[in-house]
Amino acid sequence: MTDLIPELRTPVAPEGTGRVRSGMPVSRVDGRAKVTGSAQYAAEYQAPDLCYGVVVSGTVAKGRIKQIDTSAALAAPGVIEVITHENRPKMRSNDLAWKDMTAPSGSPFRPLFSDQVFYSGQPIALVIGETFEAARHAAALVTATYDVEQHDTNMLDNLDKAYKPRPLKAGFTPPSSKGDAEKAYDAAPVKIESEFYHGVEHHNPMEMFASTVVYGEKGHLTIYDKNQSSQNCRWYVSHAFGLSKDKVTVRNPYVGGAFGSGLRPQYQLPLAVMAALHLKRSVRVVLTRQQMFSFGHRPETWQVVKLAAGEDGKLQAIWHEAIHETSRLEDYVEVVVNWSGQMYACDHIKLGYKVVGQDRYSPIDMRAPGAAHGVHALEVAMDEMAYKLKMDPLEFRLKNYAEVNPLDDKPYSTKELRQCYQLGAERFGWKDRPLEPRSMRDGDELIGWGMATGMWDSLVMVARVSAVLHADGRLVVSSAASDIGTGTYTAMSIIAAESLGLPLERVTFQLGDSTLPLAPIEGGSSHVATVGSGVHGACEKLKTSLLKLAQSQKDSIFKGAKLKDVEFNDGTLHLRGQPGNGVQLAGLLREAGKDRIEEKFLMTPQMLKQRKYVRAVHSAVFCEVRVNEKLGMVRVTRVVDAVAAGRIINAKTAASQIVGGVVWGISQALHEETFTDHRLGRFMNHNYAEYHVAVNADIHDIEVIFADEDDRVVSKQLGAKGVGEIGIVGTAAAVANAIFHATGKRLRSTPITPDKILLGDREVPLAERS
Ligand code: MOS
């Protein structure tokens, strides 16, 4: 008598957690499962007769496979089969069949489809063995020869070949302009022009991409897969292989980080499915850490920002153009420049955005795609302009505060950015900051204080949610949502528990299975406002049904009562303010002869209302750096991030999301870049040893403050926006600006490595260093 899918091992809050309210700090309901290992990830599911696939990666960047020799691999002990483009099972050929729900325009990559090679590291074979070790050994025995074609991976050499991407994907609008920015720029008394460069970055989640395909009765496939939407991957597998919907179930109940890399299915999924269909057997494929660098990434990006202002410090022109790489296959878009038309009051705004085709895999969304680089450039340029005007950087931003959206004069649904500036500045102690660079020192270290504004979109999508109250008093709420470590389980459980007045441990929120009610991808910081609003809606409907049920009882004390006249409290329903005067919900069901009562809710955004507003989250990031000028080492010793993101559902996990974003912003500023050897067209530092990410020793004090905000346009039910991405936006700019304040050196490319601190950006010519 349960609606729970046992294999998902859905977590529940520990006994004794009790009543919670939204806005409180609540520990993760999945915390115990994760730290004790009972939470299972895609590569951990067992199946009888499971075999193991290991991917062989190609070694050239462009061309055709002339010959692939699998004989040694096939002869190795324990090897079952080697699948290549020559003997792969049937799969669909048209582009549409391979488009997942978040695919950009173009032709999606299809592994082992043909002899054609699009990028270095492309999978060219899958070796399947009785054991992982057998498959791994044999994978090293596969050899290939190629007809090599000339590749090109050097974006900076090809900026003149940039083009406007083909129609943009849903949710992304092409940049627009206002006034005459060129004329205003030429005429203005104070102006700056700055060039920015950001190298490729990779997501590097802890969990490797993995798929365990369980080959069931009548060929049904149950697939445990790492992704940000089980339903997206179910759809993809069905379409690519021509399998009906009920033949495929995809599950992702626990995901060890994704940051956007799981918004699209990665190639281990179709490879594992291919093998399972070919062998009629259960198969697991796990990518290696090196192979984690062989699919989507944050694109290499080049930008120019021109700002013009009057002597009074008012902006007169904002002109921002960006170019980033994409693959030859698809036009990946992340519209780097759009936030520059939404952040500061200005009459003349010009935005431009293009992409360059390269012999690489298509880039993919990575936490705050577009804004992480675009807002970085704008906010460093804003700092430069403040210094040109001899104004405090915060005062300069307040002087140009946008009360309405600059591009189209639309109001913001809510915008408590002013509150963020105030709270953040106060907490940080910004008023004591000397304006002059190089004015604070402690021994060998120069100290600098920098700040930046952050902005990210408030997206809401469509979701269905089911809420079931069982006669044993348990509430089970379900939707095919995902929790990529962001706290979805907990936030949804809080919303449901608060709505029905139940202790948290009486509520189970079930996600991570494609057969559950429709949910969108977990992306764009939209899950709380979308699925959370759906949870609220379903629970409110359930309350109405329970009241009706109570009213149908003989001599009911609830006759004529409306929802506002009653309270749901610890599993009872009673008249408002009269806790003793009520009924047990479980008893209500039993008496009515029901073992469960279910309500479903379809959450849709208030489109007509939303269209009238610009909807976004905002932040103000303040940071302190200490720079050892002799060694070029930077330590980010203090960060205060004040965030306005609507009503906060779980103060603890929301703050964790912001801290995680800030850590990544520091990492973006100081450490992260994937280098290409253009002679080979290949990423060179494809491992944790040489691709540096911030580690504990790099991170010091990070404080998160949430401004008071309640947005009923974004989310009528909850007033919530989303916190998944805003933490990274602006952080790297605040670090770069603090480094300028410490050293007087303006560095416009990331990561700001010690060589740049010592020699400056210009000593490391852009065109040579990528
Ligand atoms: Mo996020 S880059 O939308 O997973």
Side-chain angles (χ1 to χ4, degrees):
M1 190 209 63
T2 171
D3 289 5
L4 289 172
I5 301 167
E7 291 86 349
L8 299 181
R9 302 193 184 190
T10 302
V12 188
E15 282 301 322
T17 304
R19 290 284 293 274
V20 296
R21 276 175 293 105
S22 54
M24 273 172 56
V26 178
S27 293
R28 284 168 192 277
V29 300
D30 50 331
R32 206 172 273 201
K34 282 188 165 176
V35 297
T36 56
S38 69
Q40 279 189 301
Y41 295 83
E44 295 182 312
Y45 284 86
Q46 285 307 327
D49 210 23
L50 183 69
C51 57
Y52 300 81
V54 168
V55 176
V56 180
S57 304
T59 54
V60 303
K62 189 176 185 179
R64 289 188 181 274
I65 300 168
K66 195 153 64 184
Q67 202 230 341
I68 186 157
D69 185 354
T70 59
S71 53
L74 282 167
V79 170
I80 301 164
E81 176 65 291
V82 181
I83 303 179
T84 69
H85 66 280
E86 290 170 344
N87 66 340
R88 63 163 171 79
K90 201 163 135 320
M91 55 197 197
R92 288 201 170 142
S93 61
N94 67 58
D95 289 342
L96 203 57
W98 286 86
K99 270 190 192 287
D100 69 279
M101 294 172 183
T102 64
S105 66
S107 174
F109 176 67
R110 292 157 287 179
L112 308 189
F113 184 72
S114 74
D115 60 355
Q116 204 175 349
V117 177
F118 295 97
Y119 70 100
S120 180
Q122 174 175 321
I124 58 165
L126 184 75
V127 177
I128 303 138
E130 294 292 348
T131 64
F132 168 68
E133 290 75 11
R136 183 174 58 176
H137 170 66
L141 304 176
V142 174
T143 57
T145 55
Y146 303 87
D147 283 324
V148 178
E149 291 166 38
Q150 185 64 42
H151 67 264
D152 193 342
T153 52
N154 194 329
M155 181 194 75
L156 290 173
D157 276 358
N158 290 287
L159 294 178
D160 57 333
K161 297 195 188 77
Y163 61 91
K164 282 193 182 154
R166 288 167 280 181
L168 305 179
K169 69 180 168 189
F172 285 81
T173 39
S176 49
S177 294
K178 170 194 183 183
D180 189 341
E182 292 183 40
K183 206 168 128 196
Y185 182 81
D186 286 340
V190 188
K191 45 195 157 194
I192 59 144
E193 173 175 358
S194 295
E195 215 176 319
F196 294 86
Y197 173 78
H198 302 277
V200 167
E201 296 163 23
H202 278 86
H203 304 70
N204 282 298
M206 292 276 281
E207 183 197 14
M208 254 64 85
F209 273 88
S211 304
T212 301
V213 181
V214 181
Y215 195 87
E217 274 174 44
K218 297 187 193 144
H220 180 96
L221 305 181
T222 303
I223 307 172
Y224 297 92
D225 180 69
K226 176 199 177 84
N227 61 65
Q228 289 172 245
S229 166
S230 58
Q231 290 179 332
N232 184 29
C233 290
R234 200 285 303 156
W235 151 299
Y236 173 85
V237 167
S238 289
H239 289 185
F241 294 94
L243 302 169
S244 69
K245 183 176 178 175
D246 54 13
K247 279 264 186 212
V248 184
T249 305
V250 176
R251 290 177 176 156
N252 68 338
Y254 294 95
V255 178
F259 314 112
S261 62
L263 289 173
R264 302 186 67 183
Q266 296 305 349
Y267 62 72
Q268 91 291 338
L269 173 61
L271 289 178
V273 170
M274 234 181 261
L277 294 174
H278 188 62
L279 302 172
K280 298 191 167 29
R281 205 175 147 175
S282 299
V283 181
R284 170 179 305 157
V285 177
V286 186
L287 298 187
T288 63
R289 179 56 65 185
Q290 279 78 5
Q291 286 166 342
M292 293 293 283
F293 289 77
S294 65
F295 47 82
H297 51 272
R298 199 196 293 281
E300 183 180 5
T301 305
W302 175 88
Q303 303 177 71
V304 170
V305 179
K306 298 186 195 182
L307 298 178
E311 305 284 0
D312 61 351
K314 286 262 191 205
L315 283 167
Q316 295 182 354
I318 297 172
W319 184 351
H320 187 173
E321 298 193 17
I323 296 175
H324 67 65
E325 38 110 9
T326 186
S327 65
R328 306 281 183 204
L329 289 162
E330 293 168 306
D331 281 356
Y332 169 74
V333 294
E334 58 178 38
V335 201
V336 179
V337 296
N338 275 10
W339 297 273
S340 292
Q342 300 185 314
M343 282 175 67
Y344 298 106
C346 189
D347 290 335
H348 303 282
I349 300 172
K350 182 177 170 178
L351 306 174
Y353 172 70
K354 288 178 177 173
V355 297
V356 184
Q358 297 280 269
D359 297 304
R360 283 181 170 160
Y361 199 91
S362 301
I364 191 171
D365 289 344
M366 183 159 123
R367 208 171 198 169
H373 285 343
V375 175
H376 176 87
L378 177 70
E379 285 302 294
V380 171
M382 285 293 286
D383 201 68
E384 286 184 60
M385 183 51 114
Y387 272 90
K388 194 131 196 195
L389 291 161
K390 299 192 170 51
M391 274 176 85
D392 172 79
L394 174 57
E395 189 195 331
F396 176 52
R397 284 169 174 83
L398 286 167
K399 182 116 197 167
N400 292 285
Y401 194 86
E403 304 290 352
V404 293
N405 188 47
L407 266 183
D408 54 15
D409 295 330
K410 274 187 193 174
Y412 299 97
S413 57
T414 50
K415 179 180 178 178
E416 291 298 337
L417 176 59
R418 209 184 287 280
Q419 206 189 130
C420 295
Y421 286 140
Q422 277 159 5
L423 293 171
E426 198 173 310
R427 186 77 202 165
F428 186 82
W430 185 260
K431 69 171 174 20
D432 298 326
R433 177 183 185 269
L435 183 61
E436 267 313 293
R438 304 184 67 86
S439 50
M440 296 192 288
R441 180 184 280 278
D442 179 8
D444 280 344
E445 286 183 321
L446 293 165
I447 300 170
W449 289 1
M451 59 87 53
T453 312
M455 186 177 191
W456 181 250
D457 312 351
S458 294
L459 295 175
V460 194
M461 303 191 242
V462 174
R464 285 178 190 278
V465 175
S466 136
V468 182
L469 185 72
H470 293 271
D472 63 0
R474 295 204 56 80
L475 175 66
V476 176
V477 183
S478 305
S479 184
S482 307
D483 187 335
I484 58 174
T486 43
T488 311
Y489 278 122
T490 316
M492 302 306 154
S493 301
I494 292 171
I495 293 164
E498 184 175 35
S499 173
L500 271 155
L502 289 169
L504 196 62
E505 63 266 35
R506 298 285 98 192
V507 176
T508 310
F509 181 73
Q510 176 173 247
L511 55 72
D513 184 296
S514 60
T515 63
L516 294 173
L518 174 83
I521 53 157
E522 183 174 25
S525 305
S526 65
H527 242 31
V528 162
T530 305
V531 183
S533 297
V535 169
H536 185 268
C539 290
E540 292 298 306
K541 275 177 80 174
L542 200 53
K543 278 156 70 170
T544 305
S545 304
L546 287 164
L547 178 59
K548 275 199 194 130
L549 201 59
Q551 285 167 336
S552 71
Q553 285 184 324
K554 202 154 68 76
D555 303 325
S556 172
I557 57 164
F558 299 103
K559 289 258 153 56
K562 300 266 189 308
L563 260 192
K564 64 172 173 42
D565 306 320
V566 300
E567 277 176 66
F568 289 80
N569 209 342
D570 286 327
T572 66
L573 165 64
H574 60 76
L575 290 170
R576 186 161 292 277
Q578 302 173 37
N581 208 356
V583 294
Q584 295 278 339
L585 297 179
L588 210 54
L589 262 67
R590 273 196 302 273
E591 238 171 85
K594 293 174 187 286
D595 56 11
R596 67 200 289 279
I597 174 166
E598 175 169 16
E599 285 297 343
K600 292 180 179 153
F601 186 79
L602 171 64
M603 157 62 204
T604 53
Q606 324 174 71
M607 294 297 275
L608 291 177
K609 192 163 187 187
Q610 293 199 342
R611 214 175 287 163
K612 297 183 193 138
Y613 299 90
V614 165
R615 304 165 313 277
V617 288
H618 297 90
S619 70
V621 193
F622 297 84
C623 92
E624 174 183 274
V625 299
R626 285 166 171 259
V627 183
N628 186 315
E629 227 188 358
K630 290 191 190 122
L631 300 174
M633 303 291 286
V634 179
R635 297 191 298 140
V636 181
T637 43
R638 212 151 58 85
V639 178
V640 175
D641 193 358
V643 177
R647 272 186 67 238
I648 299 302
I649 300 303
N650 183 355
K652 192 170 189 173
T653 49
S656 294
Q657 282 298 294
I658 302 301
V659 168
V662 168
V663 168
W664 205 348
I666 293 170
S667 200
Q668 177 192 348
L670 300 179
H671 306 296
E672 297 201 28
E673 181 168 12
T674 325
F675 290 93
T676 304
D677 183 332
H678 293 304
R679 294 167 305 175
L680 301 168
R682 185 185 304 164
F683 292 127
M684 301 311 290
N685 52 336
H686 54 171
N687 55 64
Y688 270 174
E690 292 161 299
Y691 183 98
H692 289 178
V693 298
V695 297
N696 275 342
D698 296 307
I699 300 304
H700 303 274
D701 281 358
I702 298 173
E703 205 174 328
V704 178
I705 302 170
F706 288 113
D708 234 352
E709 197 176 73
D710 187 345
D711 196 316
R712 299 291 162 169
V713 175
V714 173
S715 161
K716 187 172 71 176
Q717 291 85 353
L718 302 172
K721 288 174 172 174
V723 293
E725 279 154 300
I726 186 65
I728 194 173
V729 186
T731 299
V735 173
N737 295 341
I739 290 172
F740 171 77
H741 188 236
T743 64
K745 289 185 186 177
R746 183 62 73 185
L747 300 169
R748 299 185 190 86
S749 69
T750 60
I752 302 173
T753 41
D755 54 314
K756 293 182 192 170
I757 300 281
L758 297 174
L759 304 172
D761 259 344
R762 275 174 230 288
E763 303 294 322
V764 192
L766 292 185
E768 278 176 29
R769 57 175 298 286
S770 170

